[in-house]
Amino acid sequence: MSDFTIRVARPQDARQIAAIYAPYVEQTAISFETVPPTATAMLRRMDDVLHRYPYLVAERDGRVLGFAYAHPFVGRAAYDWSAEMTIYLAMDERHHGLGGALYRKLEDILRAQGVLNLNACIGCPKEDKGDEYLTYNSVDFHKHLGYKWVGLFHDSGYKFGRWYDMCWMEKILGEHKTPAAPIKTFPEVRKDFGL
């Protein structure tokens, strides 16, 4: 699927990004948030991310189809070489290769920044086949892109009257050398990607 472009999120995208995210909050346990953030809240989140990490959108004919970004893993200095990944697609744009394209672009940028570990925190249903609010689609998506299962936190989230586990998956982008090379910010490498 190549009828879309991937670019850096802009302030005017906040409304469309909030609209993409809202159904995941209101209708699924994919997100453990319970109240959808407003466009203003999304804009603040985007600004927070873009100081250090990429925040990308896929767009077609002016419509934002999905978004993906990296953000700090835990937030302590010793974790600088690790980043947590987030991705959401418009409900009608899932399962067409868009998510993989967004993640691959994000990974290329993070690799250039010197990030070595990518972490994904994913809600997991208690039932083998999932339930009406949560399936294993996100786990399968990450496996397909080379992420490995590294841990499970039991009964971590309560939503829609039931408990959900939280799994962690990880992908290693490069060799862990000593001494570690300094991390670059997204603004420092952005021009190298024509973004």
Side-chain angles (χ1 to χ4, degrees), residues 83-136:
E84 188 174 338
M85 306 289 277
T86 296
I87 186 167
Y88 288 94
L89 305 178
M91 292 289 186
D92 61 341
E93 294 293 340
R94 296 177 300 169
H95 310 294
H96 301 296
L98 181 65
L102 273 167
Y103 251 31
R104 282 188 290 278
K105 184 71 152 183
L106 199 56
E107 288 176 7
D108 288 345
I109 296 167
L110 292 167
R111 192 177 285 108
Q113 288 183 243
V115 172
L116 299 172
N117 293 40
L118 303 182
N119 302 295
C121 180
I122 304 167
C124 290
K126 306 294 265 179
E127 305 299 323
D128 289 344
K129 294 183 180 179
D131 62 35
E132 66 268 36
Y133 301 111
L134 187 62
T135 67
Y136 283 96

Side-chain angles (χ1 to χ4, degrees), residues 29-49:
I30 293 169
S31 168
F32 281 3
E33 288 195 73
T34 56
V35 177
T38 64
T40 302
M42 276 300 190
L43 180 58
R44 279 194 303 271
R45 293 178 187 190
M46 289 165 48
D47 286 342
D48 287 346
V49 167

